[in-house]
Amino acid sequence: MDVIRVAAAQIKPILGDPEKNRRKIARFLELAHNDDVDLVVFPELSNSGYNFSSTEQAFATSENIPGGKTIKLLERMAHEYSMYVVVGINERDDNALYNSAVLVGPEGYVGKYRKVHLFFNEKDIFKRGNRFYVFDTRIARIGIMICFDWIFPEAARSLALQGAEIIAHPTNLVLPYWQKMAPLRALENRVYIISANRIGIEGDLTFTGRSIIVSPKGEIIAEASRTHEEIIYADIDLRLARNKNVTPKNNVFEDRLPEAYTL
Ligand code: ACM
């Protein structure tokens, strides 16, 4: 497909209340469906909330991927609505927790990504993941990174070099930088980025809202408020993300010279 409709659902998950969070996710999936959305992205840790008061609370709000209650809900609704959805999930795997995101489509569970670069106190709760994935779906090649992954340019680069046309980016942002930096990251990789952030306050953390959708030209093509739950939309042309030329003689992939970079 070339032109599809994408969205970011900016919500306020309730810390420690997965049932309420599932009801909210379902409500926003219905809103996306009413607007004929092909892909909708939700924030990081949408099933559980973020700022856990203990490891026990984090475990109590976690679930398996696949198999967990939120994943089952997503499978049912993505099939019924013929839609792809990326949602940040507090994932339990035996005795370990991961800050993960799941991709589900009309065909069912597609895959998951476990956050590689853990932020601040997340290091006390979660194990980190160890690689970035791009999923080849019926609508687009979709790569996933989560929140603080953004500050490592290798994350988006790795996804773009694997062929991502869209980077789905569930976030729980508390620092003020990303919305300024996102256009650069989209431009240098010539990809669409959908950053779905959350709002609200948990303890000493204030989440910053302003979910954004950015084009491969580095333009913010949709932006949410700082303080309200809402859904933002954009019709995007994937041909733009497949064309890596910034001038007729400059291609951001073909002109790379890895042997010149000391990493
Ligand atoms: C973050 O990675 N949640 C800031």
Side-chain angles (χ1 to χ4, degrees):
M1 288 170 80
D2 289 333
V3 178
I4 61 172
R5 178 164 292 185
V6 298
Q10 175 166 294
I11 62 170
K12 179 185 170 190
I14 306 300
L15 182 64
D17 198 339
E19 285 303 328
K20 242 188 207 151
N21 293 332
R22 276 189 279 280
R23 283 200 291 278
K24 184 162 295 187
I25 290 167
R27 196 148 45 78
F28 275 77
L29 282 172
E30 194 180 339
L31 286 176
H33 171 63
N34 291 343
D35 262 299
D36 288 329
V37 163
D38 298 297
L39 166 67
V40 57
V41 181
F42 284 77
E44 179 180 11
L45 297 177
S46 280
N47 64 332
S48 59
Y50 182 82
N51 198 7
F52 303 111
S53 51
S54 65
T55 308
E56 290 70 31
Q57 186 185 39
F59 266 96
T61 56
S62 63
E63 63 182 272
N64 294 125
I65 306 177
K69 279 190 184 173
T70 310
I71 316 308
K72 287 199 165 127
L73 169 81
L74 299 176
E75 285 169 341
R76 200 173 64 246
M77 295 192 75
H79 180 72
E80 183 185 340
Y81 291 163
S82 199
M83 178 193 290
Y84 284 87
V85 54
V86 174
V87 182
I89 298 286
N90 174 11
E91 181 197 4
R92 178 202 300 237
D93 186 0
D94 283 332
N95 289 325
L97 295 179
Y98 294 91
N99 184 339
S100 297
V102 65
L103 171 62
V104 176
E107 68 272 42
Y109 171 74
V110 176
K112 68 181 167 188
Y113 159 70
R114 290 170 167 171
K115 189 174 185 179
V116 169
H117 304 101
L118 297 173
F119 179 73
F120 201 50
N121 290 337
E122 292 172 30
K123 292 186 172 187
D124 303 331
I125 304 272
F126 298 107
K127 276 179 82 169
R128 68 192 218 172
N130 54 21
R131 64 159 289 188
F132 291 91
Y133 300 92
V134 174
F135 302 98
D136 203 357
T137 74
R138 286 181 212 159
I139 56 165
R141 292 174 62 83
I142 301 168
I144 302 175
M145 63 182 189
I146 298 178
C147 206
F148 194 58
D149 280 327
W150 77 263
I151 209 164
F152 303 87
E154 295 89 345
R157 189 58 131 195
S158 160
L159 292 170
L161 288 173
Q162 289 181 70
E165 296 156 337
I166 298 171
I167 294 178
H169 185 211
T171 67
N172 276 191
L173 291 161
V174 293
L175 300 177
Y177 310 122
W178 170 239
Q179 287 88 346
K180 276 183 278 189
M181 301 306 297
L184 171 65
R185 199 61 16 98
L187 175 67
E188 70 195 7
N189 290 296
R190 300 279 301 186
V191 293
Y192 287 97
I193 299 179
I194 305 168
S195 290
N197 197 17
R198 61 161 293 171
I199 56 156
I201 298 172
E202 286 182 4
D204 52 358
L205 296 179
T206 299
F207 302 99
T208 56
R210 289 187 61 211
S211 297
I212 45 175
I213 303 173
V214 192
S215 83
K217 292 182 174 175
E219 292 160 343
I220 293 178
I221 51 178
E223 180 169 358
S225 69
R226 284 177 189 279
T227 48
H228 289 83
E229 291 192 314
E230 61 187 295
I231 184 161
I232 57 170
Y233 305 93
D235 292 319
I236 66 172
D237 188 338
L238 295 170
R239 286 169 294 198
L240 206 55
R242 294 179 201 128
N243 175 4
K244 303 298 179 187
N245 275 75
V246 286
T247 77
K249 293 187 181 180
N250 290 101
N251 182 293
V252 295
F253 281 7
E254 289 166 12
D255 287 3
R256 293 176 69 244
L257 197 57
E259 57 269 38
Y261 315 142
T262 305
L263 294 174

